[in-house]
Amino acid sequence: MDKKPCNSEYAEVRKGPWTMEEDLILINYIANHGEGVWNSLAKSAGNFSFLCLKRTGKSCRLRWLNYLRPDVRRGNITPEEQLLIMELHAKWGNRWSKIAKHLPGRTDNEIKNYWRTRIQKHIKQGENMNEQGSSEQNIDHQEGTSSQMSSAGPADTIETYSPTSYNGNMDNFQAPNFLPETNGNIWSMEDIWSMQLLNGD
DNA sequence: AACGCTACCAACCGCCGGATT
DNA sequence: AAATCCGGCGGTTGGTAGCGT
């Protein structure tokens, strides 16, 4: 599938991390035209702005769904969410989007990452323990990996995004006086949305 | 202080299925 | 009915921050 773009305007397609400028273009476009029709979005968003959005529709969709959407919840998975993920995964397997629908604000990508990097790892560790028949001690694998897991859990892990420019208080937020040299990840969603508001949209 | 390792996350890739022509 | 287009999904990878030695 994934047909090759035949249009010359697609000759150069940008890849890699999104910049704040690109985020703004995308947010602006969706604010004005709504979600969906990603391919045409990708086409017209380039014309829509003085800046060109040389991204594929897929890339735009992914960026919006996983990061820019205002209702995306960021930060730690709560124990309740973790439990739910495990339950639903036991039920449905790797149907991440399906699972995500039961976790408001969480994206399939986030859940998938969470599963693969944490839960799956701990399950494997648990299996290894069992294989070794190790009764070495009741190292709490699974819940107990939870010594890590739950501590990696809600309370004490770092907020996913902690941009230097935003201290959590929008009143004190200072908009930059220029668009930073495309290191988009410096910016939090709050920054971007506030920029959006400043733009008057 | 420097280096190596690990964990985490954003983003890309390829495939699939539904919609449209 | 067949071909094409497009959005969605799951798997994988690359970059990097954080931590330990």
Side-chain angles (χ1 to χ4, degrees):
Chain A
M1 297 291 159
D2 289 343
K3 313 291 183 285
K4 281 189 181 139
C6 47
N7 196 326
S8 65
E9 64 185 287
Y10 286 92
E12 44 171 336
V13 176
R14 255 188 64 78
K15 290 182 184 177
W18 280 66
T19 66
M20 186 187 162
E21 292 94 324
E22 290 175 315
D23 283 345
L24 282 171
I25 294 171
L26 186 55
I27 289 170
N28 257 310
Y29 188 89
I30 290 173
N32 286 298
H33 298 87
E35 290 183 45
V37 216
W38 299 106
N39 266 324
S40 62
L41 183 159
K43 284 174 200 165
S44 44
N47 305 326
F48 174 73
S49 167
F50 64 99
L51 294 163
C52 282
L53 193 56
K54 293 170 183 165
R55 298 280 183 171
T56 63
K58 271 187 169 188
S59 184
C60 293
R61 173 185 164 270
L62 210 64
R63 182 64 176 172
W64 174 254
L65 292 179
N66 288 338
Y67 193 87
L68 296 176
R69 249 184 359 177
D71 59 329
V72 167
R73 276 175 67 193
R74 314 208 63 82
N76 304 310
I77 303 275
T78 66
E80 292 76 21
E81 288 175 317
Q82 182 187 312
L83 206 63
L84 191 56
I85 291 171
M86 294 177 84
E87 247 173 52
L88 296 177
H89 186 272
K91 214 190 231 176
W92 295 323
N94 297 356
R95 306 301 306 275
W96 305 117
S97 60
K98 201 171 176 182
I99 294 172
K101 280 174 189 149
H102 289 73
L103 290 145
R106 301 293 184 187
T107 67
D108 56 346
N109 208 29
E110 190 178 8
I111 293 170
K112 179 171 57 182
N113 278 331
Y114 180 76
W115 179 267
R116 296 181 72 88
T117 59
R118 299 178 216 188
I119 300 180
Q120 200 170 53
K121 186 185 72 184
H122 288 111
I123 288 174
K124 272 186 184 170
Q125 280 176 359
E127 280 172 359
N128 288 341
M129 292 282 202
N130 289 338
E131 276 174 19
Q132 290 170 5
S134 77
S135 56
E136 293 186 5
Q137 65 232 132
N138 298 334
I139 301 175
D140 41 3
H141 52 272
Q142 68 166 9
E143 205 29 75
T145 24
S146 77
S147 59
Q148 268 190 333
M149 195 127 79
S150 57
S151 69
D156 58 323
T157 40
I158 18 135
E159 267 298 309
T160 314
Y161 291 96
S162 49
T164 53
S165 61
Y166 176 50
N167 62 8
N169 181 350
M170 290 303 287
D171 293 331
N172 296 332
F173 171 67
Q174 292 189 328
N177 49 7
F178 63 95
L179 293 178
E181 292 175 340
T182 60
N183 183 356
N185 294 335
I186 299 175
W187 301 92
S188 69
M189 274 312 300
E190 285 83 357
D191 293 343
I192 291 173
W193 279 101
S194 69
M195 291 290 288
Q196 173 77 5
L197 291 174
L198 290 174
N199 285 346
D201 288 324

